[in-house]
Amino acid sequence: MIAFSELKGQVESVGAGTLLVNGIIVRLVSTTVLDGAATLNAGDFVEVYGIYDATTSALIATRVEKRGADDYKLRGTVSAWDMANTRFMLGTTLVSYTGATLPVGFANGLAVRAYAAGAPTAGVWPVTEIRPVSDYSLSDDSRAEIEGIVSAFASLADFELNGVRVDGSGARIDDGSATDIRVGARLEVKGTFADGTLVASRIEIEDGSGSSGSGSGSSASGYQIELHGLVSDFVSVASFTVRNARVDASASPAFERGTAANLVNGACVEIKGNIVTDPAGSIVRATEVKFDNDC
C-alpha cells in the first residue's frame, strides 16, 4: 500500500472522528496515526496522508502529522470550470488558477492536487500549481508512505518495496537497525520522491508478521496494527481506549517501561496487537505495551 500526502493546511473544525482541512472532510479511523500531537484542534497546521474516496469526496486518513505552517495542498475533482474567470471548484472549495498553468487534459471531472503558497483570500484559494493525480504518484517532491515487504535489496541506499525503489541511506530507523533491512523484511517507509526513488526520512521495521507500524490498512479480524497515544475510558486492563480504538491487554502482552498497573487514564502508550471482533465490535488485542513519555 502507498498512502500519499493528500492535504496540507489548517484544521478548520474538529468533529466526531473527523477533521475539516482545506474544505475536505478527513475521516479518522481506529488505525489513523496522529503524529506530533495527542489531539488536534482547530487552527493546527497538518499534513494528511490517506486514501481519497471520490464517491464521498472525503479522505480516509492513515496518518495526520501536526507540523509548522508551510505551503498548502488541496485534493479533489474539478467541477464548475470557469475559463473566463480562471476559476474552478474542488468539492466545495473555490480555486483561482490565475498564477498557475493548467495541465494537459484539464477538464471537469479530472482528479487533481493543487498547491497554494498561502491561505485563501475571501474564500478563494490562489493556487500556484495543479497536477493530475494520475501523473503525480512518482513525481519529484511528492511525499508518501509505503508499507510492504522488501522484494529486492542491493544496499540500504538501493532496495525495493512494493515495486518502488527506496534510498534509506539517510533515514532514521525505528524498532530495529540497518541490518534488519533485507529481502523479506516488512517495513513502513516515509519519505519524498526524487527521480522515481523514494528518499526515506524514516523507516520502521515491522515484526514480520504483518503488523503495521503506521496503523494503516485493513481492519479485518487478525490484522496487526500499532497505536500510539493516551489511554482513556479505562475500565480495566481488558477494556480501555487508545486513539478511539478499544484495547484489551489482559492476555499477558509484553510490557516495556512499566506494568499492567501503569495502565491508567492519561498514560502515554504504544500498543501493538491484532484487530479481532467480539460481540461489541472490533477490538485491538494487545501483544505489546510500551509506556512512553512523548504523546
Side-chain angles (χ1 to χ4, degrees), residues 141-159:
D141 299 324
S142 60
R143 291 161 59 86
E145 291 180 324
I146 301 179
E147 180 188 344
I149 295 174
V150 176
S151 56
F153 182 87
S155 68
L156 185 60
D158 183 9
F159 63 91

Side-chain angles (χ1 to χ4, degrees), residues 153-159 166-171 173 178 181 203:
F153 182 87
S155 68
L156 185 60
D158 183 9
F159 63 91
V166 178
D167 177 357
S169 57
I173 299 176
I181 301 174
I203 299 174

Side-chain angles (χ1 to χ4, degrees), residues 239-285:
S239 179
F240 58 94
T241 299
V242 177
R243 297 287 189 214
N244 295 320
R246 292 195 307 133
V247 180
D248 178 359
S250 62
S252 301
F255 282 92
E256 185 175 343
R257 303 176 188 165
T259 68
N262 300 112
L263 281 172
V264 295
N265 285 329
C268 178
V269 294
E270 181 177 292
I271 304 285
K272 291 185 179 181
N274 302 302
I275 296 181
V276 298
T277 56
D278 64 13
S282 297
I283 189 167
V284 177
R285 196 84 69 195

Side-chain angles (χ1 to χ4, degrees), residues 45-91:
F45 195 94
V46 297
E47 183 164 13
V48 184
Y49 295 77
I51 306 299
Y52 185 75
D53 182 354
T55 61
T56 61
S57 300
L59 185 66
I60 302 170
T62 58
R63 180 184 298 272
V64 181
E65 178 181 343
K66 184 179 178 182
R67 51 182 298 162
D70 199 348
D71 58 329
Y72 291 74
K73 182 188 298 183
L74 299 89
R75 169 71 152 86
T77 301
V78 175
S79 65
W81 180 20
D82 181 353
M83 287 183 282
N85 293 298
T86 61
R87 292 183 171 187
F88 60 89
M89 299 293 293
L90 285 181

